[in-house]
Amino acid sequence: YLNAGIMGCLSILILSPCVTAPLIGALTYIAHEGSVTLGILSLFFLSLGMGTPLLLIGTSAGKLLPKAGNWMNAVKAFFGVMLLAVAIYLLERLLPSAVTMVLWGSLLIFSGIYLNALSHAQSKQEKFSQGAGLILLFYGFLILIGASQGHGNPLQPLASITAITIQESPKNIVKSIAELKAMQAQAKRDGKPVILDFYADWCESCKVISSTILTEPRVQEALKDFTLITVDLSANNNASKALLKRFHVVAPPTFIFFDAEGNQLEDLRLVGKITGVTLIERASLAFNKNQ
């Protein structure tokens, strides 16, 4: 009974994060309806849905579980690589981009080798495994080449080579309110509307937006009449907190639009992940309001 109790506690620890999202949704719906009976029944059936599979598997004495074999080793290896990938993904917030690029490249290269990319294949299954291994091996080398040239996006390791014709506008980066005021004053003298891009190195979505969306030719064309100012919050110091407080920004990525007179267009604010189409539409609205 003690062992069963310990396993039950561990199962709860493992399953709790999985049920958090539906639980929040259920509680929100219950709070909105204001019905005690509905709340009791909803949470009761939610718990049944989570607990029934464990009860069935436990009482079947393992008969409902798949039989062990070589395929289990493949599954174990696959999830081992996935866990390493998650570790690298989390480390991207702390390590320099060059280091994480090397880690991604190394993971793919070793995975390709373990898939027999460099071995002689005979059967169809071995050839399929070798083909997948060669793809991983080749892509891993591309990431290492990109890292050696200073690139930081493993999804586009050679982006600046393949997109060399794109003319990027110079970035206006500020890290304090004083710097921002000076740049906004210059934009006002030039008669140009302003877009504030709240960015941080530890924000994964910010880096994706900066390296992909903001480099798209159509987006650059739409923003050519604006002064795009990047508010760098990477240091997360008092100056960064003052910038967040001044514009009531919760966290990056956030885009705030101003007209040529320096008036904030609050209704056009963008928060979180965005697309190029959304940014172009908001820029068009801001430009039309400026006319």
Side-chain angles (χ1 to χ4, degrees):
Y1 291 103
L2 178 61
N3 291 339
I6 293 174
M7 287 300 298
C9 294
L10 292 177
S11 298
I12 291 297
L13 287 176
I14 295 171
L15 293 176
S16 292
C18 303
V19 79
T20 299
L23 179 60
I24 291 175
L27 292 175
T28 303
Y29 178 74
I30 293 167
H32 181 267
E33 293 297 320
S35 172
V36 176
T37 304
L38 176 64
I40 293 173
L41 291 175
S42 298
L43 295 179
F44 175 71
F45 285 110
L46 177 64
S47 63
L48 278 182
M50 292 299 300
T52 300
L54 295 177
L55 292 173
L56 290 175
I57 293 173
T59 55
S60 67
K63 293 181 180 179
L64 297 179
L65 294 176
K67 302 300 181 182
N70 289 332
W71 69 275
M72 288 287 284
N73 292 326
V75 171
K76 180 177 66 175
F78 173 78
F79 281 105
V81 173
M82 290 298 102
L83 288 174
L84 290 174
V86 170
I88 298 173
Y89 175 76
L90 295 176
L91 286 173
E92 284 182 338
R93 294 159 173 77
L94 304 174
L95 299 177
S97 59
V99 176
T100 56
M101 287 283 282
V102 171
L103 290 176
W104 281 119
S106 301
L107 178 64
L108 293 181
I109 290 172
F110 280 106
S111 299
I113 292 174
Y114 275 100
L115 284 174
N116 300 320
L118 305 179
S119 304
H120 179 67
Q122 294 182 344
S123 66
K124 292 182 178 180
Q125 183 178 356
E126 290 177 348
K127 290 179 179 179
F128 179 82
S129 175
Q130 187 178 46
L134 286 172
I135 292 173
L136 293 178
L137 186 68
F138 180 71
Y139 192 67
F141 278 120
L142 288 181
I143 292 177
L144 292 183
I145 293 172
S148 68
Q149 297 178 347
H151 306 155
N153 185 2
L155 297 178
Q156 294 179 311
L158 306 178
S160 61
I161 294 178
T162 57
I164 196 168
T165 58
I166 295 177
Q167 298 297 322
E168 292 189 20
S169 57
K171 287 189 176 182
N172 302 313
I173 301 176
V174 299
K175 298 183 179 181
S176 67
I177 292 178
E179 294 176 353
L180 179 56
K181 284 183 176 179
M183 201 159 291
Q184 284 182 308
Q186 180 60 48
K188 187 175 181 179
R189 287 192 294 269
D190 295 338
K192 300 181 68 175
V194 172
I195 301 176
L196 297 187
D197 171 19
F198 286 80
Y199 168 92
D201 289 338
W202 39 263
C203 168
E204 199 63 31
S205 297
C206 299
K207 293 194 287 187
V208 172
I209 292 172
S210 178
S211 61
T212 58
I213 293 176
L214 293 182
T215 58
E216 292 180 13
R218 58 176 182 168
V219 173
Q220 292 184 351
E221 178 66 22
L223 303 185
K224 67 178 181 180
D225 295 319
F226 291 82
T227 297
L228 178 61
I229 302 175
T230 300
V231 182
D232 191 353
L233 306 172
S234 302
N236 199 24
N237 51 20
N238 291 332
S240 302
K241 295 175 182 177
L243 285 165
L244 290 172
K245 185 177 180 180
R246 178 180 179 85
F247 295 100
H248 305 289
V249 174
V250 177
T254 299
F255 286 82
I256 300 179
F257 297 81
F258 296 81
D259 61 20
E261 297 300 321
N263 301 312
Q264 183 175 336
L265 306 175
E266 182 62 33
D267 58 322
L268 299 182
R269 176 182 296 221
L270 288 172
V271 180
K273 292 182 178 180
I274 64 171
T275 63
V277 174
T278 304
L279 184 57
I280 291 172
E281 289 176 351
R282 295 297 174 93
S284 177
L285 292 172
F287 188 78
N288 292 333
K289 288 187 177 185
N290 188 59
Q291 300 302 310

